[in-house]
Amino acid sequence: LLSGAFGQALDPQRAVQVLSRSADKNNTTAQLCLALQYLNGAGVDKDEARGFALMSASAEAGNAPAMFYLGELYHYGRGVAASAADAETWLRRAAARGHVTALVTLTRLLISGPYPSYDSAAQLCRQAADQGNVEANYCWPSSPGDVEEALRWARKAADAGYLPAFELVGSLYANGSGVKQDFDEAAAWFRRAADAGDARGFYQLGVMQLRSQVSGGVEAAVRSWTEAAALGYADASLQLGLLYAEGGAEHRDYGVAANWYRKAAEQGS
């Protein structure tokens, strides 16, 4: 209630007080929630070491979500020295207790190291997919260069409505990677992403329009990139700046270009 999740006024300081009392009584859920408060600096000074200690206590007591978060803390080195081995240990413990997201995170961990294990990662990903996790299809650990396999699983994720997969499938069709190049099919996937409010979908559609790979031309590209920029996509703002600076838009306009460059910088470009 004090987090504001149910419409009440947000009171993080009060939340910390209440959680602290329960955490002192070894309530594992309170320990987890209080750990997140310390890790994020919500209602209390940010203290990742304290957050790690609380998360460890909750995980050691058998709280599966805390095991997942603890694995993440070890993976990213928050409040503790980074350790891939400890991250894997805690993620596996969380997964064994039914934490599906831990399976997906563990999949990424297993294929990101110096000695990737694609077969083991694929088995974990299948477990997550079988339990209804759509993201598992998107991040299916295909072997390097096996674009056809990546496309097959990305299509599964996209067909299930997983938004990031729309842009990936569109890019594969646009580039002819693992499938016959098909600009219309690519644009259809980018439009699906854009219709769902995805900035990258608008951006990629604009790229195709500018290159005359689909109809619309420069004017359509400007509209698509303007939509992407409105959603905070810095690359779209930068490209609009370049268009106006180089005269690729309706006309050369250094003032408009400067405004777009400024927006791109504000968005982190």
Side-chain angles (χ1 to χ4, degrees):
L1 292 174
L2 295 171
S3 69
F6 294 94
Q8 284 76 12
L10 179 66
D11 191 348
Q13 290 81 14
R14 178 62 177 156
V16 168
Q17 294 173 7
V18 173
L19 288 170
S20 295
R21 288 198 294 269
S22 295
D24 289 343
K25 297 177 182 178
N26 297 320
N27 182 298
T28 62
T29 300
Q31 289 171 334
L32 183 158
C33 294
L34 187 59
L36 293 176
Q37 298 289 107
Y38 275 103
L39 289 165
N40 298 316
V44 67
D45 290 338
K46 188 173 182 177
D47 187 339
E48 293 192 342
R50 175 63 174 152
F52 172 81
L54 285 162
M55 198 67 76
S56 295
S58 182
E60 292 282 3
N63 187 295
M67 293 175 185
F68 166 72
Y69 282 117
L70 189 60
E72 292 265 285
L73 294 180
Y74 272 114
H75 180 55
Y76 293 107
R78 295 189 63 191
V80 66
S83 170
D86 286 321
E88 181 178 347
T89 294
W90 285 105
L91 288 170
R92 285 190 180 279
R93 289 179 180 178
R97 287 164 176 77
H99 198 287
V100 181
T101 305
L103 289 169
V104 178
T105 303
L106 187 56
T107 295
R108 292 196 172 101
L109 183 66
L110 290 177
I111 63 176
S112 63
Y115 306 104
S117 177
Y118 292 101
D119 290 340
S120 296
Q123 291 176 4
L124 293 170
C125 220
R126 182 177 294 280
Q127 290 180 41
D130 288 344
Q131 294 180 57
N133 186 289
V134 177
E135 186 183 1
N137 293 321
Y138 174 72
C139 69
W140 192 272
S142 305
S143 300
D146 192 352
V147 184
E148 291 185 8
E149 181 74 354
L151 174 62
R152 185 165 72 90
W153 288 103
R155 282 293 300 260
K156 282 180 174 289
D159 289 341
Y162 187 64
L163 185 56
F166 294 174
E167 193 266 336
L168 173 59
V169 174
S171 295
L172 292 174
Y173 275 107
N175 298 323
S177 300
V179 67
K180 182 179 179 181
Q181 190 173 52
D182 187 332
F183 292 142
D184 290 335
E185 183 71 11
W189 281 103
F190 292 146
R191 285 193 180 94
R192 284 185 65 181
D195 289 344
D198 181 64
R200 287 183 60 84
F202 280 114
Y203 178 78
Q204 296 288 12
L205 188 57
V207 170
M208 297 191 72
Q209 291 162 336
L210 186 68
R211 294 175 178 173
S212 297
Q213 293 170 336
V214 292
S215 61
V218 176
E219 290 185 6
V222 169
R223 288 194 298 271
S224 294
W225 284 347
T226 299
E227 292 281 0
L231 291 169
Y233 199 62
D235 285 352
S237 298
L238 180 60
Q239 290 300 325
L240 285 166
L242 290 170
L243 270 182
Y244 279 100
E246 297 172 358
E250 298 174 357
H251 55 275
R252 180 171 289 156
D253 190 323
Y254 292 119
V256 173
N259 287 336
W260 281 115
Y261 288 146
R262 191 175 299 110
K263 188 175 183 67
E266 291 171 352
Q267 294 171 331
S269 176

